[in-house]
Amino acid sequence: MRRIQQWFPLANAGYLADSFGQAVRLRGQALPYADATHAVVMLLLYTAAFVVLSAVLLQRRDVTS
């Protein structure tokens, strides 16, 4: 499950937030599965994909051209 989870945006947002550290780290608390670089790359890919998808849908619905 953890290997699939690393590709979802919510998990990557959590990984990115965890990379800044916590004020108090509890004993025995596991480190994030992915590092900050992976989280940023995945979130940028999701953002780019949604921008492209939005542009395609907008162009398809644009009736003025």
Side-chain angles (χ1 to χ4, degrees):
M1 179 67 176
R2 300 283 289 182
R3 298 195 58 82
I4 293 173
Q5 184 182 9
Q6 71 179 344
W7 302 106
F8 292 118
L10 185 60
N12 282 294
Y15 298 148
L16 183 59
D18 288 344
S19 72
F20 291 108
Q22 298 175 347
V24 177
R25 184 169 291 276
L26 301 175
R27 183 175 296 178
Q29 186 177 10
L31 294 174
Y33 186 71
D35 61 351
T37 305
H38 175 81
V40 169
V41 168
M42 289 307 301
L43 292 173
L44 286 174
L45 286 173
Y46 270 101
T47 301
F50 285 124
V51 166
V52 168
L53 180 65
S54 297
V56 167
L57 292 175
L58 181 66
Q59 182 182 13
R60 190 177 284 177
R61 292 216 17 122
D62 190 12
V63 294
T64 59
S65 39

